[in-house]
């Protein structure tokens, strides 16, 4: 069956073959987004569809209840709160994981029937700045390009976009285009995998993007590369932008100095952009997640408008979304700052939406954006909150304050697929929602392409679709007639009708889809909006007409400013947070797939060796990362790929997997004043050694929490047949023994034990009927063996005599130990094996793949393989690559 991937905004098509609760997933070669390719996450979907950890029944507190009781309880509490404190005393916080039908239902209930705009989405954290930039420049939130432009472009500029990790399927398309001469420029403070293989890497100083793009525009003016004919016919504001640029020294030397770049590199970029008409500028979280995010987006749009590089094959500015349906949420009004269908809060739009819905009221003004919403909860102004399909206790900045808000809120409802999340721990009511593979509806990807997510499995337990949960609560609140849908097709048809309703000038229009039969909805093929009788629309603005009242795009004068908080001697490092290659958001799905936990198995902080040396931080040891807002402990990774004066931490880990390794409690709650998007990419920080006195690991069949009452740094890493727990402490023998007693309590009586008092090493293995049940290794000063072989032994029903004998050694007899970093998650190929193949003559990614299998499946690791080749290959091989 054809469906759509639930991860990033690429929107890959999937061919899925379910059997029971098992699933074989492969790329859909007919889907235009991915043409059959999948990344490591999509390829591992079959490992994530089991029912372990699922929420399968409504819960009020710790009490399981029937759906009617849960619905009545939620509706009553919301009605009572609204009656006592007004409609703005309640809020919904929703997610780009919702389907369009879910989003539409939630937005309709909040804005049209409760009468407040206090519904915001976690897309506020990803795309809000791009949305505002689009509206200011184009008149509406419109992405002008399509993925075909990435194939056709002669130059691709990646601005704050590590596509090799965050959108690997698109990156592989662009890698293929490089074989015909496409060039890549990467603007990023970090030398990411995307930057590693590019033609030019501009490792700019943090938050100097606007200065860079202003400098580019000034250089285009000097070169005579501005398309003045296009500007005169289609653009307003150019003269004001030109005047603003003239107020600052825009020489290449001055811009290079301010951005921390070599003048020659900047000159190369300026020349490439000026001389390449077919240019696509991709921008993502590095641009958006900033207190200047809107200005960064506008600076990129200014350069494309000034050169007329928009609405043409291979030429456009392109905002790439992070979530599978962030675009659908923006369309349906999932953000607090818009109504539905790209309509705003002006009187005409408000009246139109209210009339279409037949609503008793309509929100009068924009609601609270995400951070403002949770601050209002903490202050007691919002007294009832419904969180749908997201985990704000982990994902929002200054996450400690978010937890304070959730703890203080009188009534919290969480709709989720998982029974236990960091946010669900604060819920008074938990409602079981359908997961991917059970849902049925639509999503919109980064190129405005609507695709179907189709049901592969029957709903488990009492889980329900999110749109239906919303409709049930709306009905219990007295609004049943307006929410009487019986299927997602009915919800979608209503949504499509709204986009066409009294539509004389709105680009977003799904009118031809509003009359689909249920059968046509079931068989809906991917289509790009706006949808006409002739089909979808790949590119916008091809005629030079924009969605403004006069049809002209708007350029905006921009003043380059620094970060919201500058570093200083007390906080000398700039903390940047983001994703890793194989994980997604807060691990609720990807951690179910052990193969996705191998490439980056635990939280880490990446730091330049010079910064590490000045603080006594060493490779592989634990480090304390602190900001004014919080503290975390993570493994130190020393890397020249990290800019001096800056550090990087992944954002994925939660209380369940690494309670001390959560990054977002450290992030300052600074936001772009226009978009409300947080500045995840720059928080002043410092790093110190953790100075653990002992460390160890514990492997068991089930997840364990850190022993209570002990100050341990605890990390859990899922394995194929068990759970690996890494831990460390700063105490003495008493602490170590207390931890040991907690972990061996209830263990089988058969135990193999080794102790070396000189190094403070204890190794124990517990067996039951010859089957390995637990392994505990600790040391105060000795080495610990690799964990892989010990974890593999948990798959065996009984251990062989050689395996038993080698247990406490920690490695298989006669097998070479390969403890290097994992590169290919799909094939479990480590760096050492790839390096050996390179040394034996494999001088290309294809050759390494043939020799080792690495990169032969999803290809997400291909950039890393290329980096290893460049590092180790002989000069003539490196030149050929």
């Amino acid at each position: 069956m054809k469906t759509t991937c639930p991860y990033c905004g690429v929107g890959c098509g999937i061919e899925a073959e379910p059997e029971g609760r098992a699933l074989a997933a492969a790329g859909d070669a007919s889907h235009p987004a991915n043409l059959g390719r999948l990344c490591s996450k999509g390829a591992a979907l079959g490992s994530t569809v089991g029912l372990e950890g699922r929420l399968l029944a409504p819960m009020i507190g710790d009490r399981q209840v029937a759906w009617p009781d849960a619905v009545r309880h939620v509706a009553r509490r919301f009605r009572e709160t609204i009656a006592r404190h007004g409609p703005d005393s309640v809020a919904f916080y929703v997610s780009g994981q919702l389907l369009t039908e879910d989003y539409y239902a939630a937005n309709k209930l909040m804005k049209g029937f409760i009468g407040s705009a206090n519904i915001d989405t976690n897309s506020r954290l990803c795309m809000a700045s791009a949305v505002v930039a689009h509206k200011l420049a184009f008149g509406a939130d419109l992405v002008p390009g399509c993925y075909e432009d990435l194939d056709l472009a002669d130059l691709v500029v990646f601005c704050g976009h590590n596509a090799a990790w965050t959108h690997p399927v698109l990156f592989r398309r662009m890698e293929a285009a490089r074989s015909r001469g496409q060039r890549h420029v990467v603007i990023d403070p970090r030398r990411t995998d995307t930057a590693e293989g590019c033609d030019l890497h501009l490792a700019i100083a943090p938050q100097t993007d606007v200065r860079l793009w202003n400098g580019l525009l000034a250089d285009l003016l000097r070169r005579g590369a501005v398309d003045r004919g296009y500007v005169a016919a289609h653009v307003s504001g150019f003269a004001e932008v030109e005047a603003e640029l003239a107020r600052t020294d825009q020489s290449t030397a001055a811009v290079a100095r301010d951005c921390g770049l070599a003048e020659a590199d900047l000159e190369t970029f300026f020349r490439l952009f000026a001389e390449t008409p077919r240019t696509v500028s991709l921008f993502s979280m590095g641009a958006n997640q900033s207190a200047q995010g809107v200005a960064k987006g506008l600076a990129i749009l200014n350069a494309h408008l000034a050169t007329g590089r928009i609405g043409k094959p291979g030429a456009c500015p392109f905002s790439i979304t992070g979530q599978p349906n962030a675009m659908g949420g923006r369309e349906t009004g999932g953000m607090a700052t818009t109504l539905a269908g790209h309509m705003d809060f002006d009187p005409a739009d408000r009246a139109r939406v209210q009339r279409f819905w037949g609503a008793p009221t309509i929100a009068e003004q924009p609601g609270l954006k995400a951070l403002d919403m949770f601050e209002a909860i903490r202050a007691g102004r919002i007294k009832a909150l419904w969180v749908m399909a997201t985990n704000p206790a982990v994902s929002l900045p200054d996450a400690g304050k978010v937890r304070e808000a959730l703890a203080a809120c009188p009534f919290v409802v969480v709709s989720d697929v998982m029974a236990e999340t960091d946010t669900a721990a604060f819920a008074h009511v938990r409602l079981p929602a359908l997961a991917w593979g059970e849902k049925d509806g639509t999503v919109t990807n980064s190129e405005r392409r609507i695709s179907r997510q189709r049901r592969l499995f029957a709903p488990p337990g009492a889980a329900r679709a999110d749109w239906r949960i919303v409709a049930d609560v709306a009905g219990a609140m007295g609004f049943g007639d307006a929410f009487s849908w019986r299927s997602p097709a009915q919800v979608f048809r209503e949504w499509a009708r709204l986009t066409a309703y009294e539509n004389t000038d709105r680009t977003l229009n799904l009118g031809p889809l509003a009359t689909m039969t249920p059968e046509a909805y079931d068989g809906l093929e991917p289509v790009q909006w706006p949808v006409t009788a002739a089909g979808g629309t790949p590119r916008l603005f091809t005629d030079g007409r924009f969605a403004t009242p006069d049809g002209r795009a708007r350029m905006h004068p921009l003043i380059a400013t620094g970060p919201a908080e500058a570093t200083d001697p007390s906080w000398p490092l700039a903390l940047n947070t983001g994703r890793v290659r194989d994980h997604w958001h807060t691990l609720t799905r990807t951690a179910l797939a052990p193969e996705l936990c191998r490439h980056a198995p635990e939280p880490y902080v990446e730091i330049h060796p010079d910064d590490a040396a000045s603080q006594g931080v060493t490779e592989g040891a634990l480090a304390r990362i602190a900001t004014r807002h919080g503290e975390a402990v993570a493994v130190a990774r020393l890397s020249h790929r990290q800019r001096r004066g800056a550090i990087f931490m992944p954002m994925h880990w939660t209380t369940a997997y690494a309670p001390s390794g959560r990054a977002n409690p450290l992030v300052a709650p600074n936001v772009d004043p226009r978009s409300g998007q947080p500045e995840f990419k720059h928080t002043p920080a410092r790093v110190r050694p953790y100075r653990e006195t002992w460390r160890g690991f514990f492997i068991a069949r089930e997840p364990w929490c850190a022993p209570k009452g002990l100050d341990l740094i605890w990390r859990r890493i899922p394995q194929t047949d068990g759970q690996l727990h890494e831990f460390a402490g700063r105490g003495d023998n008493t602490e170590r023994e207390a931890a040991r007693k907690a972990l061996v309590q209830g263990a089988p009586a058969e135990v193999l034990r080794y102790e070396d008092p000189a190094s403070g090493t204890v190794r124990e293995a517990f067996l039951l009927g010859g089957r390995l049940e637990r392994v505990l290794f600790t040391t105060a000063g000795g080495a610990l063996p690799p964990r892989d072989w010990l974890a593999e032994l948990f798959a065996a029903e009984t251990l062989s005599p050689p395996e038993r004998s080698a247990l406490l050694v920690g490695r298989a007899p006669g097998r070479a130990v390969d403890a290097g970093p994992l590169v290919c998650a799909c094939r479990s190929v480590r760096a050492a094996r790839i390096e050996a193949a390179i040394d034996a003559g494999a001088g290309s990614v294809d050759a390494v793949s043939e020799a080792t299998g690495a990169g032969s499946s999803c290809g997400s690791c291909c950039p890393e393989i290329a980096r290893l080749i460049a590092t180790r290959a002989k000069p003539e091989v490196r030149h050929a690559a």
Side-chain angles (χ1 to χ4, degrees):
M1 181 178 292
K2 293 180 184 292
T3 186
T4 307
C5 183
Y7 287 115
C8 77
V10 175
C12 294
I14 287 177
E15 291 271 11
E17 297 182 13
E19 184 174 343
R21 282 300 300 196
L23 180 73
D28 179 359
S30 68
H31 198 291
N34 60 316
L35 305 174
R37 295 187 181 98
L38 288 180
C39 74
S40 56
K41 294 182 288 293
L45 276 168
S47 300
T48 69
V49 296
L51 298 180
E52 56 269 32
R54 287 290 300 274
L55 178 63
L56 296 177
M59 304 290 293
I60 297 178
D62 294 327
R63 180 170 55 91
Q64 181 175 322
V65 299
W67 266 111
D69 297 327
V71 167
R72 282 194 297 269
H73 182 68
V74 172
R76 178 178 60 79
R77 290 296 301 269
F78 271 89
R79 281 198 314 267
E80 290 174 351
T81 302
I82 294 165
R84 292 173 185 168
H85 306 287
D88 287 334
S89 66
V90 301
F92 294 172
Y93 187 62
V94 296
S95 165
Q97 298 293 298
L98 294 176
L99 303 183
T100 297
E101 294 78 1
D102 307 325
Y103 256 130
Y104 178 76
N107 187 56
K108 179 179 178 180
L109 173 58
M110 177 55 80
K111 289 177 181 159
F113 289 80
I114 291 175
S116 170
N118 283 345
I119 174 172
D120 209 33
T121 169
N122 61 6
S123 298
R124 179 70 57 189
L125 314 183
C126 307
M127 306 311 308
S129 291
V131 170
V132 174
H134 289 154
K135 293 180 73 172
L136 290 171
F138 305 149
D141 176 21
L142 302 170
V143 176
C146 61
Y147 294 163
E148 185 187 39
D149 292 326
L150 305 178
D151 304 325
L152 300 176
D154 296 317
L155 174 66
V156 177
V157 182
F158 300 85
C159 188
H161 182 205
N162 184 15
W165 278 19
T166 60
H167 300 92
V169 169
L170 288 186
F171 188 70
R172 295 203 72 196
R173 287 179 71 155
M174 290 179 280
E175 283 185 310
R178 293 194 75 192
S179 64
R180 63 156 181 82
Q182 185 182 89
R183 289 165 293 184
H184 292 177
V185 174
V186 175
I187 302 170
D188 198 313
R190 300 172 62 222
R191 196 166 79 240
T192 62
D193 273 15
T194 307
E196 196 72 49
C198 71
D199 299 280
L200 176 64
H201 176 210
L202 299 178
I204 60 172
Q207 307 304 319
T208 58
D209 308 60
V210 174
R211 179 68 165 130
L212 175 71
W213 286 92
N214 275 354
L216 169 64
L217 185 52
D219 184 81
L220 293 169
L221 285 162
R222 287 194 296 269
R223 294 174 188 266
V226 169
D227 188 339
R228 293 188 178 272
Y230 185 88
V231 169
H234 304 298
V235 180
S236 297
F238 179 81
E240 291 85 349
V241 170
E242 192 172 18
E244 182 59 47
L245 290 174
R247 294 189 177 97
T248 307
D249 183 356
Q250 300 290 349
S251 66
T252 304
V255 176
R257 181 181 63 251
D258 292 346
C259 295
L261 299 171
E263 185 176 347
D265 287 344
L266 194 61
E267 170 64 27
T268 299
F269 171 51
F270 287 173
R271 177 180 52 79
L272 281 172
F273 197 99
E275 295 176 355
T276 313
R278 289 194 173 203
T279 294
V280 171
S281 297
L282 288 166
F283 61 106
S284 193
M285 304 311 157
N288 294 327
Q289 290 179 334
S290 166
Q292 304 88 41
V294 173
K296 291 180 182 183
L298 286 171
I300 296 168
L301 303 186
N302 278 351
H304 278 264
L305 290 171
T307 53
R309 294 175 185 174
I310 190 167
K312 299 172 183 175
C316 66
F318 205 146
S319 164
I320 296 291
T321 54
Q323 296 192 80
N325 204 30
M327 188 75 80
R330 288 151 63 177
E331 296 159 9
T332 57
M335 285 182 158
T337 43
T338 64
L339 288 175
H342 285 183
M343 288 180 272
D344 292 313
F345 288 91
D346 60 86
D349 282 351
R350 289 179 58 245
R352 180 180 301 113
V353 175
Q354 183 176 7
R355 189 163 54 250
F356 178 84
W357 280 341
T361 184
I362 196 76
E364 297 181 356
Q365 60 189 7
L368 294 173
K369 304 179 186 79
L371 267 66
D372 296 331
M373 177 185 292
F374 281 88
E375 183 54 36
I377 296 169
R378 198 166 74 96
R381 297 193 303 276
I382 290 177
K383 301 179 183 297
L385 172 70
W386 190 347
V387 178
M388 304 181 197
T390 187
N391 197 5
V394 178
S395 58
L396 283 171
D398 203 7
K401 295 283 181 62
V402 174
R403 290 169 185 251
E404 291 176 14
L406 290 166
C409 190
F411 187 58
V412 176
V413 180
V414 172
S415 303
D416 209 317
V417 301
M418 303 305 291
E420 297 181 4
T421 69
D422 286 35
T423 301
F426 297 93
H428 301 94
V429 177
R430 289 176 291 156
L431 302 176
L434 296 179
W436 180 85
E438 301 153 7
K439 294 183 178 186
D440 193 21
T442 57
V443 293
T444 308
N445 73 357
S446 293
E447 61 169 349
R448 295 171 284 103
R449 190 179 298 278
I450 300 167
S451 297
R452 287 280 276 112
Q453 275 194 18
R454 293 183 171 91
R455 176 173 293 172
L456 308 173
F457 307 108
R464 289 184 177 178
D466 288 281
W467 66 263
R468 184 183 169 192
I469 298 172
V470 172
D472 289 343
V473 170
M477 292 179 72
F479 310 128
D481 289 346
F483 293 83
S484 58
W485 311 299
R486 296 183 302 279
S487 70
Q490 291 182 322
V491 185
F492 184 86
R493 286 197 297 269
E494 181 181 318
W495 153 236
R497 287 198 305 273
L498 174 58
T499 67
Y501 183 64
E502 298 179 2
N503 187 349
T504 59
D505 58 1
R506 300 191 307 276
T507 304
L508 174 55
N509 192 331
L510 310 182
L513 304 181
T515 56
M516 284 192 300
T517 64
E519 293 74 22
Y521 177 80
D522 287 343
L524 180 65
E525 293 291 326
V527 61
Q528 289 172 281
W529 63 259
V531 182
T532 68
T537 307
R539 295 178 186 85
L540 304 181
F541 316 136
T542 55
D543 58 358
R545 183 164 183 82
F546 295 83
T548 56
D550 63 2
R552 300 171 70 88
R554 303 278 192 266
M555 290 180 65
H556 292 263
L558 303 167
I559 299 174
T561 60
E565 290 184 45
T567 57
D568 59 38
S570 296
W571 307 97
L573 303 172
L575 169 64
N576 173 9
T577 65
R579 295 182 186 172
V580 298
R581 190 189 75 191
D582 293 345
H583 272 315
W584 174 256
H585 284 198
T586 62
L587 304 183
T588 49
R589 182 184 291 118
T590 52
L592 299 174
E595 60 267 41
L596 298 179
C597 300
R598 295 170 183 158
H599 184 251
E602 58 183 312
Y604 64 88
V605 57
E606 190 174 85
I607 183 170
H608 191 279
D610 292 350
D611 292 326
S614 69
Q615 301 301 323
V617 173
T618 57
E619 172 69 29
L622 292 175
R624 294 171 54 222
I625 308 96
T627 71
R628 294 182 178 91
H629 307 277
E631 182 174 305
V633 178
V635 173
R637 287 189 180 178
L638 278 56
S639 174
H640 288 278
R641 303 172 78 203
Q642 182 64 52
R643 184 185 175 92
R644 290 180 183 86
I647 57 176
F648 173 80
M649 281 189 73
M651 50 74 68
H652 306 285
W653 279 270
T654 67
T655 300
Y657 293 96
S660 299
R662 295 177 291 116
N664 285 343
L666 281 63
V667 176
N670 300 314
V671 299
D672 184 290
R674 289 182 283 191
S675 71
Q677 182 156 357
E679 189 165 63
F680 283 102
K681 302 303 182 185
H682 190 281
T683 299
R686 60 183 175 227
V687 179
R688 301 284 190 272
Y690 178 69
R691 302 193 191 283
E692 61 268 32
T693 58
W694 66 283
R695 56 199 174 91
F697 65 85
F698 173 63
I699 310 176
R701 296 193 175 275
E702 301 297 331
W704 282 61
C705 296
K708 293 182 179 179
L710 299 178
D711 184 21
L712 301 183
I713 304 304
W714 185 266
R715 296 93 74 199
R716 174 163 69 89
I717 306 163
Q719 307 292 302
T720 302
D721 295 288
Q723 300 285 328
L724 167 63
H725 310 79
E726 300 277 350
F727 53 90
R730 293 188 291 188
D732 55 15
N733 289 342
T734 302
E735 181 182 72
R736 273 187 287 158
E737 184 57 25
R740 177 192 170 276
K741 286 182 178 179
L743 295 173
V744 303
Q745 184 177 7
E750 184 182 359
V751 57
L752 305 178
R753 179 180 170 87
Y754 165 81
E755 184 171 3
D756 177 13
S759 63
T761 296
V762 176
R763 299 183 176 187
E764 296 176 287
F766 298 87
L767 298 93
L768 181 64
R771 186 172 185 245
L772 188 59
E773 294 294 321
R774 300 183 199 177
V775 169
L776 174 62
F777 283 29
T778 63
T779 186
L784 291 171
R787 288 52 156 169
D788 290 6
W789 179 69
L790 289 169
E792 290 171 8
L793 293 181
F794 280 76
E797 286 300 318
T798 58
L799 300 185
S800 67
E803 288 171 337
R804 288 175 64 98
S805 300
L807 258 179
L808 300 183
V809 178
R811 54 179 177 263
R815 184 197 296 185
V817 177
D818 184 359
L822 187 91
V823 175
C824 179
C826 300
R827 305 294 186 192
S828 298
V829 183
R830 293 188 177 273
R833 187 175 168 197
I834 294 171
E835 290 167 348
I838 296 169
D839 293 344
S844 68
V845 172
D846 287 343
V848 169
S849 179
E850 184 174 347
T852 68
S856 62
S857 183
C858 75
S860 297
C861 61
C862 288
E864 194 165 350
I865 296 172
R867 174 157 49 88
L868 290 172
I869 293 171
T871 301
R872 296 185 67 85
K874 296 176 182 179
E876 61 271 17
V877 176
R878 185 182 306 166
H879 178 74

